[in-house]
Amino acid sequence: MPTVGYTVLPSGRLNLPESDDAAAVAAVQAALAGQGAWYRPEASPSNGTLVDLAEVARASIVRDGDWIEFGYDDEGDPKWSNRATAFYVAIAPFVRSGTVQIEGEDGASWSYTYADGQITQDGWNGWDGSVEPFGDHVDLPSPGQPVGG
Protein backbone atom coordinates (compact mmCIF):
# COMPACT_ATOMS: atom_id res chain seq x y z
CA MET A 1 0.00 0.00 0.00
CA PRO A 2 1.56 3.36 -0.98
CA THR A 3 2.38 5.85 1.72
CA VAL A 4 1.00 9.36 1.33
CA GLY A 5 2.39 12.49 2.85
CA TYR A 6 5.08 15.07 2.35
CA THR A 7 8.54 13.49 2.31
CA VAL A 8 11.39 15.53 3.79
CA LEU A 9 15.16 15.28 3.85
CA PRO A 10 16.58 16.99 6.95
CA SER A 11 20.24 17.75 7.51
CA GLY A 12 22.23 19.80 9.97
CA ARG A 13 23.96 19.88 13.31
CA LEU A 14 22.85 21.37 16.62
CA ASN A 15 24.79 22.05 19.80
CA LEU A 16 22.51 20.49 22.40
CA PRO A 17 24.60 19.45 25.40
CA GLU A 18 24.34 15.79 26.27
CA SER A 19 23.61 16.82 29.86
CA ASP A 20 20.37 18.47 28.62
CA ASP A 21 19.20 15.48 26.58
CA ALA A 22 16.79 14.13 29.23
CA ALA A 23 15.17 17.54 29.71
CA ALA A 24 14.85 17.96 25.94
CA VAL A 25 13.23 14.52 25.68
CA ALA A 26 10.72 15.45 28.38
CA ALA A 27 9.90 18.70 26.53
CA VAL A 28 9.42 16.83 23.24
CA GLN A 29 7.22 14.21 24.88
CA ALA A 30 5.07 16.92 26.47
CA ALA A 31 4.77 18.75 23.13
CA LEU A 32 3.83 15.56 21.31
CA ALA A 33 1.14 14.58 23.78
CA GLY A 34 -1.27 17.04 22.17
CA GLN A 35 -0.29 16.42 18.56
CA GLY A 36 -2.05 13.21 17.63
CA ALA A 37 -3.01 9.73 18.60
CA TRP A 38 -0.12 7.74 17.13
CA TYR A 39 2.37 9.06 19.69
CA ARG A 40 1.93 7.43 23.07
CA PRO A 41 4.41 8.76 25.65
CA GLU A 42 3.69 5.82 27.92
CA ALA A 43 5.09 3.52 25.20
CA SER A 44 8.36 5.48 25.02
CA PRO A 45 11.25 4.31 27.16
CA SER A 46 11.50 6.46 30.27
CA ASN A 47 15.23 6.76 29.70
CA GLY A 48 14.82 7.53 25.98
CA THR A 49 17.08 9.99 24.21
CA LEU A 50 16.63 12.42 21.36
CA VAL A 51 18.21 9.78 19.15
CA ASP A 52 15.32 7.49 20.16
CA LEU A 53 12.83 10.20 19.15
CA ALA A 54 14.39 10.75 15.71
CA GLU A 55 11.33 9.33 13.95
CA VAL A 56 9.23 12.17 15.32
CA ALA A 57 11.63 14.68 13.73
CA ARG A 58 11.37 12.70 10.48
CA ALA A 59 15.12 12.34 10.65
CA SER A 60 17.95 10.11 11.59
CA ILE A 61 19.73 11.60 14.60
CA VAL A 62 23.25 10.77 15.74
CA ARG A 63 24.75 12.17 18.95
CA ASP A 64 28.38 13.28 18.78
CA GLY A 65 29.25 14.57 22.26
CA ASP A 66 27.32 17.79 22.79
CA TRP A 67 26.14 17.84 19.16
CA ILE A 68 23.22 16.13 17.50
CA GLU A 69 23.42 15.55 13.75
CA PHE A 70 20.35 15.23 11.56
CA GLY A 71 20.20 13.15 8.41
CA TYR A 72 17.65 11.53 6.13
CA ASP A 73 15.55 8.78 7.73
CA ASP A 74 15.95 6.14 5.01
CA GLU A 75 14.55 3.35 7.19
CA GLY A 76 11.44 5.07 8.53
CA ASP A 77 8.67 7.13 7.00
CA PRO A 78 10.05 10.68 6.74
CA LYS A 79 6.72 12.43 6.18
CA TRP A 80 6.30 15.87 7.73
CA SER A 81 3.49 16.66 10.17
CA ASN A 82 2.69 18.95 13.10
CA ARG A 83 4.52 16.39 15.26
CA ALA A 84 7.77 17.09 13.40
CA THR A 85 7.27 20.82 13.87
CA ALA A 86 6.55 20.23 17.57
CA PHE A 87 9.82 18.32 17.95
CA TYR A 88 11.94 21.13 16.46
CA VAL A 89 10.15 23.79 18.55
CA ALA A 90 10.32 21.78 21.80
CA ILE A 91 14.10 21.31 21.67
CA ALA A 92 14.79 25.03 21.17
CA PRO A 93 15.32 25.94 24.84
CA PHE A 94 18.10 23.35 25.07
CA VAL A 95 19.96 24.18 21.85
CA ARG A 96 22.88 26.59 22.08
CA SER A 97 23.48 26.94 18.35
CA GLY A 98 23.13 25.33 14.95
CA THR A 99 20.85 24.95 11.96
CA VAL A 100 18.70 22.17 10.55
CA GLN A 101 17.82 22.42 6.87
CA ILE A 102 14.70 20.69 5.57
CA GLU A 103 14.19 19.86 1.90
CA GLY A 104 10.70 18.81 0.83
CA GLU A 105 9.80 16.35 -1.88
CA ASP A 106 8.79 19.20 -4.19
CA GLY A 107 12.07 21.09 -3.80
CA ALA A 108 10.80 23.49 -1.14
CA SER A 109 13.41 24.22 1.50
CA TRP A 110 13.38 25.88 4.85
CA SER A 111 15.59 25.85 7.90
CA TYR A 112 15.45 26.22 11.65
CA THR A 113 18.29 28.22 13.16
CA TYR A 114 18.87 27.98 16.88
CA ALA A 115 20.76 30.43 19.08
CA ASP A 116 20.71 30.65 22.86
CA GLY A 117 17.46 28.74 23.32
CA GLN A 118 15.57 30.50 20.52
CA ILE A 119 14.41 29.18 17.13
CA THR A 120 13.86 31.09 13.91
CA GLN A 121 12.64 29.76 10.59
CA ASP A 122 14.07 30.82 7.24
CA GLY A 123 11.94 30.06 4.19
CA TRP A 124 8.48 28.60 3.69
CA ASN A 125 7.59 25.25 5.19
CA GLY A 126 6.75 23.27 2.05
CA TRP A 127 4.29 21.06 3.91
CA ASP A 128 1.95 23.72 5.24
CA GLY A 129 3.19 27.03 3.80
CA SER A 130 3.98 28.55 7.19
CA VAL A 131 6.68 31.17 7.59
CA GLU A 132 7.43 30.29 11.21
CA PRO A 133 6.85 27.20 13.30
CA PHE A 134 3.10 26.97 13.96
CA GLY A 135 2.85 30.41 12.39
CA ASP A 136 0.80 32.07 9.71
CA HIS A 137 0.39 30.44 6.35
CA VAL A 138 1.41 32.29 3.21
CA ASP A 139 0.77 31.79 -0.47
CA LEU A 140 3.74 29.90 -1.82
CA PRO A 141 5.48 31.35 -4.88
CA SER A 142 4.13 30.19 -8.20
CA PRO A 143 5.97 27.40 -10.06
CA GLY A 144 9.32 28.51 -11.40
CA GLN A 145 9.96 30.98 -8.58
CA PRO A 146 12.45 29.99 -5.89
CA VAL A 147 10.97 28.62 -2.68
CA GLY A 148 12.68 29.20 0.65
CA GLY A 149 15.20 31.64 1.89
Side-chain angles (χ1 to χ4, degrees):
M1 177 176 251
T3 305
V4 294
Y6 186 77
T7 302
V8 293
L9 291 92
S11 62
R13 185 172 155 99
L14 301 178
N15 182 275
L16 192 156
E18 194 166 7
S19 60
D20 289 339
D21 197 88
V25 166
V28 169
Q29 289 174 331
L32 294 176
Q35 293 298 321
W38 76 265
Y39 178 75
R40 295 186 343 260
E42 69 279 1
S44 294
S46 59
N47 61 347
T49 66
L50 287 175
V51 170
D52 298 328
L53 290 174
E55 178 188 8
V56 176
R58 299 310 190 220
S60 170
I61 299 174
V62 175
R63 179 163 283 285
D64 180 17
D66 282 344
W67 293 88
I68 54 173
E69 299 178 9
F70 291 78
Y72 176 66
D73 178 14
D74 61 355
E75 301 208 2
D77 186 21
K79 306 286 194 249
W80 198 263
S81 71
N82 280 340
R83 291 176 296 277
T85 304
F87 175 92
Y88 289 103
V89 171
I91 65 172
F94 309 98
V95 178
R96 292 185 179 164
S97 63
T99 301
V100 175
Q101 298 85 25
I102 311 293
E103 181 180 336
E105 64 185 34
D106 57 0
S109 64
W110 68 98
S111 63
Y112 298 123
T113 299
Y114 297 83
D116 300 320
Q118 301 293 315
I119 181 176
T120 56
Q121 179 177 318
D122 185 30
W124 288 276
N125 179 320
W127 177 68
D128 66 6
S130 63
V131 294
E132 62 183 56
F134 296 119
D136 295 330
H137 299 272
V138 296
D139 291 327
L140 294 173
S142 52
Q145 291 182 333
V147 177

